[in-house]
Amino acid sequence: MSEDAPVNTGAVVWPDVESAAITVRRMQTKLHRWATEQPGRRFGDLFNLVADPAFLVCAWERVTTNQGARTPGIDKVSVGLVETWVGTEAFLAQIRDALKSGVFRPVAVRRVMIPKGSTGKFRKLGIPTITDRVVQASLKLVLEPIFEADFKPCSYGFRPNRRAQDAVAEIHYYASKPRNYHWVLEADIEACFDEISHRALMDRLRVRITDKRVCALVKAFLKAGVLTELGNREETLTGTPQGGILSPLLANIALSALDDYFDRQWRAMGSRYQRAKRKAAGHGVCRLIRYADDFVLMVWGERHHAEALREEVAAVLAPLGLRLSPDKTRVVHIDEGFDFLGFTLRRQWNRGTRKYCVYTRPSKKAIQSVKDKVKMRTYRSTRYQDLDVVLRSVNRVLVGWANYFRHAVAKVVFSAIDNHAWGRLMRWVRAKYGGQHRIGMPELRRRFCDKGWRFAHNGVVFTGASSVAVTRYRYRGSTIPTPWTPRPAAAHSG
């Protein structure tokens, strides 16, 4: 922070998780308030917060409760190993001493190739060591409330209190009457996380952060390198590896250049009345909606207005070392429909209301993805398991998938997915329990179903996607508060 706001971080007693969370939240609230009230403020003395015991305890809690907590980095040290052989406090004390003495150096991440659904393509995932994950988590706790004050409402990915459904709801809002933003530039950034320019990212970081030790620490993580699956070490000259706790925040800091550019354009168009005058004069009006590296530009006007935005977007991305994918970037009309974050959005004629309405449904790709997951859990390789184990696994997949899509027009889709899953389970049961004898449907129902036709075994019942209620999602606009701002901001208008 600046010289006029010193922070006492000399504590040496390791707090419990609850006390640490209270301390960190209080400090984050101050950082966010200072950043919001003083947009030009640059923060200096932040490194002591990164090494503060309360921040490190919260960072450890974040790392150990993460889904990938059991996955080790290149040093093969897992969370369980740390807790068993070193002890949490001793481990955090080592990290704190290394940070305070200036000897801490991030090591290369372990690269793992993760399949992208059933496409046959793979995504590069970089797994840091447990030590590096704790430091990254502490860095994020310090930096996030500061940069959240600058991030624009049009950005939804990897931000607190925001989710994919908010981005989809905003698209629906602008595509519907009376706003009628019917042309869409559906954009795709080529290898975004791999090609972000380190220099451009650090320049945007230094707009807010003057603490040289914090900047050096962020840069060290960017330059740490990658250890491939073959054991070869590669330098990281660009990009921020997916898989690191800090990576999504750094990507948002870089891509906020795109948000800032189109936010300035939106504000330059003036009030809602002035935008209406632009529309009447035949000029295009656009609105950016971004979720991490996926974004669309909603356009009121003609097709050529949307086409012209390609060059504008490319010009904004070029200084960041990024470029649009020519094959995946296209202009579509809302009547054609397009996919975004697993949803298909399309305007269609409603025979009941006799009006055109914009509908949001699960995309074909998303439907195929969940079918593939069900298939994997009901394949012959799982026949050694009991039926109740398989039912629990399939239920978990379907309910999780349905919860993501429960705000779409998805009731019929959920039923179709359940029918597909029931058929897979029926064939699995016949193959496992039938042997030479083919189990008929009456016997199948008597032995493996409840009073209806639902599979049930050892107290576990097949519930499927239809157990999730389909509900309408409320568009929140700019009223989404951060965890550090209890009062919502004023809503924007279309």
Side-chain angles (χ1 to χ4, degrees):
M1 278 141 294
S2 57
E3 296 75 15
D4 62 328
V7 176
N8 179 14
T9 58
V12 292
V13 178
W14 292 98
D16 59 70
V17 174
E18 187 175 345
S19 301
I22 294 171
T23 301
V24 168
R25 177 57 63 90
R26 187 181 297 125
M27 191 65 244
Q28 286 182 317
T29 302
K30 289 181 180 179
L31 291 171
H32 185 72
R33 188 178 72 246
W34 292 334
T36 303
E37 293 175 353
Q38 303 173 46
R41 181 170 185 163
R42 303 179 74 195
F43 292 77
D45 185 19
L46 293 176
F47 190 81
N48 286 332
L49 287 178
V50 178
D52 184 78
F55 278 78
L56 289 175
V57 167
C58 284
W60 174 257
E61 180 70 9
R62 162 76 172 81
V63 169
T64 54
T65 56
N66 195 27
Q67 191 174 5
R70 297 177 180 270
T71 310
I74 63 171
D75 60 358
K76 296 187 169 61
V77 175
S78 65
V79 168
L81 199 63
V82 169
E83 293 175 335
T84 304
W85 294 99
V86 182
T88 300
E89 288 191 6
F91 180 70
L92 295 180
Q94 291 174 7
I95 294 176
R96 185 171 188 268
D97 291 343
L99 287 169
K100 300 285 278 186
S101 63
V103 300
F104 174 81
R105 296 290 182 275
V107 298
V109 299
R110 181 168 66 90
R111 177 178 290 168
V112 177
M113 305 301 286
I114 304 296
K116 285 186 176 182
S118 57
T119 61
K121 298 180 180 179
F122 290 85
R123 176 184 288 110
K124 297 176 183 176
L125 197 66
I127 302 174
T129 63
I130 298 296
T131 300
D132 288 355
R133 277 182 245 178
V134 171
V135 177
Q136 284 192 31
S138 187
L139 259 175
K140 185 182 179 185
L141 289 171
V142 174
L143 296 178
E144 188 173 48
I146 296 172
F147 284 95
E148 273 294 322
D150 298 334
F151 289 158
K152 299 296 185 286
C154 63
S155 166
Y156 292 98
F158 303 111
R159 294 182 59 190
N161 292 349
R162 289 167 171 258
R163 55 185 77 96
Q165 287 79 3
D166 288 312
V168 173
E170 181 157 6
I171 294 173
H172 191 281
Y173 175 82
Y174 279 99
S176 303
K177 287 185 177 182
R179 289 151 294 275
N180 297 326
Y181 287 60
H182 287 165
W183 287 100
V184 182
L185 175 64
E186 186 186 1
D188 183 86
I189 301 176
E190 192 87 45
C192 177
F193 280 84
D194 296 331
E195 296 189 3
I196 291 176
S197 165
H198 289 172
R199 175 178 291 182
L201 172 54
M202 293 304 299
D203 286 346
R204 293 192 67 82
L205 185 78
R206 292 188 183 104
V207 169
R208 277 295 200 175
I209 310 300
T210 59
D211 190 320
K212 292 183 178 179
R213 290 180 296 176
V214 169
C215 291
L217 193 56
V218 172
K219 190 172 183 179
F221 278 116
L222 292 174
K223 300 292 186 183
V226 172
L227 192 71
T228 67
E229 291 177 304
L230 298 177
N232 301 320
R233 192 183 187 283
E234 296 178 358
E235 292 186 20
T236 46
L237 303 176
T238 61
T240 171
Q242 293 188 68
I245 292 172
L246 194 60
S247 293
L249 175 61
L250 295 180
N252 268 336
I253 291 172
L255 290 172
S256 63
L258 195 66
D259 308 338
D260 294 344
Y261 175 82
F262 284 102
D263 184 71
R264 285 193 299 271
Q265 283 205 344
W266 180 262
R267 293 178 185 278
M269 293 173 193
S271 65
R272 184 174 183 176
Y273 172 72
Q274 289 170 310
R275 286 193 290 273
K277 287 181 67 177
R278 280 183 58 86
K279 294 174 183 178
H283 300 296
V285 177
C286 68
R287 180 74 183 178
L288 173 72
I289 296 107
R290 183 176 68 82
Y291 189 94
D293 58 333
D294 293 325
F295 66 93
V296 295
L297 279 156
M298 305 296 295
V299 180
W300 189 99
E302 302 297 332
R303 185 184 185 96
H304 65 87
H305 292 128
E307 291 284 3
L309 290 172
R310 287 178 190 257
E311 298 303 321
E312 285 190 56
V313 172
V316 176
L317 293 178
L320 302 175
L322 302 174
R323 64 189 188 280
L324 290 174
S325 169
D327 298 332
K328 297 180 182 178
T329 301
R330 63 188 186 123
V331 171
V332 296
H333 194 274
I334 193 66
D335 290 352
E336 300 173 57
F338 66 97
D339 293 350
F340 187 67
L341 302 178
F343 295 87
T344 294
L345 293 104
R346 186 179 179 185
R347 190 178 71 153
Q348 292 177 293
W349 179 256
N350 186 309
R351 288 181 296 179
T353 61
R354 301 189 64 80
K355 294 179 182 178
Y356 279 103
C357 299
V358 177
Y359 291 97
T360 304
R361 296 184 174 91
S363 68
K364 290 181 179 179
K365 186 176 178 181
I367 293 170
Q368 187 58 51
S369 173
V370 75
K371 285 183 176 180
D372 290 342
K373 289 180 180 179
V374 170
K375 179 180 179 180
M376 185 174 66
R377 285 157 177 77
T378 54
Y379 202 60
R380 70 179 103 189
S381 59
T382 65
R383 287 179 196 159
Y384 70 94
Q385 298 177 348
D386 288 336
L387 176 58
D388 56 306
V389 174
V390 173
L391 287 175
R392 193 177 288 111
S393 176
V394 171
N395 280 340
R396 192 181 301 118
V397 167
L398 294 182
V399 170
W401 185 86
N403 271 318
Y404 181 80
F405 290 104
R406 72 185 186 277
H407 302 299
V409 182
K411 191 172 182 179
V412 174
V413 174
F414 287 0
S415 179
I417 293 293
D418 285 351
N419 288 338
H420 171 81
W422 195 93
R424 293 285 315 178
L425 286 167
M426 179 265 291
R427 288 186 287 275
W428 185 92
V429 167
R430 281 180 159 176
K432 177 178 175 68
Y433 296 102
Q436 299 274 332
H437 167 65
R438 178 180 173 85
I439 298 177
M441 295 304 285
E443 183 183 357
L444 181 83
R445 182 178 184 181
R446 178 178 57 80
R447 290 177 58 186
F448 302 105
C449 298
D450 59 10
K451 293 181 180 179
W453 279 94
R454 293 186 309 173
F455 282 104
H457 190 68
N458 290 341
V460 180
V461 179
F462 173 67
T463 54
S466 298
S467 63
V468 177
V470 175
T471 59
R472 188 181 182 89
Y473 193 78
R474 183 175 60 86
Y475 171 58
R476 299 192 287 169
S478 297
T479 63
I480 306 173
T482 72
W484 317 286
T485 53
R487 293 187 306 275
H492 64 245
S493 60

